[in-house]
Amino acid sequence: MNGVRADVISDLNRLMAEETEAFLRYFQMRFRLRGRGRRRAEKFFENALKETLEHAEALARQIQSLGHVPTLHVDLVLSGEPISAEEALAEAIDVEQQALDAYQEFLTRVTGDPVLEDFARKQVVIEAAHVQDIREALRQDPVFALVEKPTAGS
Amino acid sequence: METWKEFDANELTHSAAHHLLAIYGVGATYGGWARVSDIARRLDITRGSVSITLRALKRRGLVETDEHHMVKLSDTGQKAAQAVMAKRLIVKTFLSEVLGTPEPQADIDSCKIEHLISDETGERLARFTRLLTSGDPVAQAVLALFHSSHGDCPDDGNCEVCKGRCLAAELGRAI
C-alpha cells in the first residue's frame, strides 16, 4: 500500500499509542497531585496533555496520509494514589524520554523517505526540547521553575 | 493484616513480576541488559508504561539502569525473577502432573499464581509434587486413585472438604 512497509505503519501506530497513553496519564495525573507546587504542576500537565494529544493527532494524520487507518492499542490502569509534584514531574521526564528515544529509533528506520524522515526529525527536535526543558527546570527547582515555561510545540 | 489485603501488599505485583521476567528474558542474550523498547514489545505495552514501572522497581533495588537507558536486573532482582520462575514451574507441574489440568490451562493458572504464593508454600508444593510423582508405590496409588475418582459427592451432602455446603456446585460446574 503506497509502498510503505507494514513495519513502518506498525511503528507509527505504536508511537501514537505512546502519545495517547501519555495524554491519558497526564490528564489523570493533575488530580493526583498533592503538596507544594501542586497548582503549577497542574498547569504543566495541562500543557503537556494538550501537546501529547496534538502529537497523537499528527501521527494519526500521518498514518492516514499513507493510506491506512490508525489502530490504537492502549492497556492502562492508573492508580489514584496521591503524588508529589516532584515525583509526578520525574515520571513525566521518564515518559518524555521514552517518547524521544522512540522517535529517534523511528528516524533511523525511515531515513531516506523524504516525508517520514522530515516528520520524524521534527518530532525528535520537539521531544528533545521538551525533555531538556523539564530537566533544566528540575535542576533549578523541583517544581516552581518548570511550569512558567511554554512547552515545546504549544 | 487481613489476607485479602495481603494481595495488594504483596512483595511483587503481577505487573512487576512480568517486568522482571521480561528483563530477564530479553537480557539473556545481551549480558543481562535489556532495552526498554524490547521490554515493551515483549509485554505488549508502551515504553512509557514500562518506564513508570521501572521507576518503582529501581526504587526497590530490583533493577539498575545505565546512561543509555538500558536496564538490568540487580542481584536482588535476579533472585526475585528466578523465584517467580521457579514458583511458576512448581505450580504448573503440580497442576498438570498431579491434578491433571490440561497444559494450556496449567500455563495460564500458574502465571496468575506464580508471584502470589510465599517461598515457603512454593517449597512445600514442590516437595508434595515430588512425592506424588515419585515412584513410591503409596504415592502412585494415591495419584491413581485420584485420577480414577470422579469426585462424586457423598449421598448425605456432607464431606470433610465442603463442611455442609457443596463447594463444587459453588464453582459453577460439576466435578
Side-chain angles (χ1 to χ4, degrees), chain B residues 18 21-27 36-45:
Chain B
H18 275 252
L21 295 183
I23 297 166
Y24 185 91
V26 171
V36 172
S37 56
D38 291 331
I39 301 167
R41 276 175 202 271
R42 179 170 280 229
L43 295 174
D44 199 18
I45 57 175

Side-chain angles (χ1 to χ4, degrees), chain A residues 2 5 8 10 30 34-35 46 48 60 64 76 83 88 97 101-102 104 110 114 116 123 131 147-148 154:
Chain A
N2 292 344
R5 302 193 316 258
V8 169
S10 171
R30 297 172 301 157
R34 296 288 184 277
E46 275 168 25
Q64 191 179 41
L76 190 62
I83 189 169
Q97 182 65 54
D101 290 350
Q104 281 173 330
V110 295
L116 288 173
Q123 291 304 116
V131 170
V147 291
E148 296 307 321
S154 64

Side-chain angles (χ1 to χ4, degrees), chain B residues 47-112:
Chain B
R47 300 163 65 129
S49 268
V50 171
S51 72
I52 299 294
T53 303
L54 288 179
R55 282 183 65 76
L57 295 178
K58 197 173 171 184
R59 213 165 26 225
R60 293 175 57 182
L62 295 168
V63 302
E64 296 162 3
T65 53
D66 72 1
E67 67 275 20
H68 304 296
H69 313 126
M70 298 286 281
V71 186
K72 187 181 191 178
L73 294 177
S74 66
D75 288 344
T76 313
Q78 185 92 8
K79 284 177 191 159
Q82 284 168 339
V84 171
M85 285 187 288
K87 285 179 208 167
R88 180 189 288 191
L89 190 56
I90 290 166
V91 173
K92 187 186 166 187
T93 305
F94 174 75
L95 294 177
S96 59
E97 294 189 19
V98 175
L99 299 189
T101 305
E103 192 149 327
Q105 191 61 50
D107 261 329
I108 292 168
D109 289 345
S110 58
C111 173
K112 289 176 183 169

Side-chain angles (χ1 to χ4, degrees), chain B:
Chain B
M1 185 187 291
E2 293 167 70
T3 306
W4 70 270
K5 288 181 181 168
E6 282 186 30
F7 189 89
D8 288 334
N10 201 51
E11 206 167 308
L12 277 182
T13 63
H14 191 72
S15 167
H18 275 252
H19 277 71
L20 293 182
L21 295 183
I23 297 166
Y24 185 91
V26 171
T29 46
Y30 303 104
W33 291 100
R35 296 190 312 172
V36 172
S37 56
D38 291 331
I39 301 167
R41 276 175 202 271
R42 179 170 280 229
L43 295 174
D44 199 18
I45 57 175
T46 63
R47 300 163 65 129
S49 268
V50 171
S51 72
I52 299 294
T53 303
L54 288 179
R55 282 183 65 76
L57 295 178
K58 197 173 171 184
R59 213 165 26 225
R60 293 175 57 182
L62 295 168
V63 302
E64 296 162 3
T65 53
D66 72 1
E67 67 275 20
H68 304 296
H69 313 126
M70 298 286 281
V71 186
K72 187 181 191 178
L73 294 177
S74 66
D75 288 344
T76 313
Q78 185 92 8
K79 284 177 191 159
Q82 284 168 339
V84 171
M85 285 187 288
K87 285 179 208 167
R88 180 189 288 191
L89 190 56
I90 290 166
V91 173
K92 187 186 166 187
T93 305
F94 174 75
L95 294 177
S96 59
E97 294 189 19
V98 175
L99 299 189
T101 305
E103 192 149 327
Q105 191 61 50
D107 261 329
I108 292 168
D109 289 345
S110 58
C111 173
K112 289 176 183 169
I113 297 168
E114 67 195 6
H115 62 291
L116 294 175
I117 61 172
S118 66
D119 291 348
E120 186 188 359
T121 299
E123 196 267 333
R124 283 171 183 264
L125 193 58
R127 276 171 45 207
F128 186 57
T129 304
R130 196 161 49 238
L131 172 70
L132 284 179
T133 57
S134 71
D136 183 275
V138 177
Q140 281 186 326
V142 169
L143 209 50
L145 181 63
F146 169 68
H147 286 301
S148 65
S149 126
H150 299 291
D152 296 332
C153 295
D155 291 337
D156 61 4
N158 266 320
C159 71
E160 278 307 304
V161 174
C162 295
K163 296 186 172 39
R165 53 198 276 218
C166 184
L167 296 179
E170 289 179 23
L171 284 174
R173 67 180 178 87
I175 290 177

Side-chain angles (χ1 to χ4, degrees), chain A residues 17-32:
Chain A
E18 295 283 353
E19 296 285 5
T20 308
E21 195 175 290
F23 164 77
L24 293 170
R25 201 177 287 284
Y26 296 161
F27 171 82
Q28 189 251 9
M29 185 69 87
R30 297 172 301 157
F31 302 98
R32 291 175 60 197

Side-chain angles (χ1 to χ4, degrees), chain A residues 32-103:
Chain A
R32 291 175 60 197
L33 292 164
R34 296 288 184 277
R36 177 178 173 268
R38 178 175 64 87
R39 289 191 189 284
R40 293 192 180 192
E42 273 177 9
K43 183 73 180 157
F44 163 79
F45 282 108
E46 275 168 25
N47 288 332
L49 72 89
K50 283 176 198 157
E51 182 174 312
T52 51
L53 190 57
E54 284 168 12
H55 291 179
E57 173 81 12
L59 284 155
R61 296 276 172 216
Q62 193 66 59
I63 294 166
Q64 191 179 41
S65 73
L66 294 168
H68 292 255
V69 176
T71 58
L72 184 59
H73 176 184
V74 173
D75 184 4
L76 190 62
V77 177
L78 297 171
S79 144
E81 289 285 306
I83 189 169
S84 72
E86 191 174 358
E87 176 65 13
L89 294 170
E91 281 194 9
I93 281 193
D94 282 352
V95 170
E96 295 292 333
Q97 182 65 54
Q98 285 308 319
L100 173 58
D101 290 350
Y103 279 116

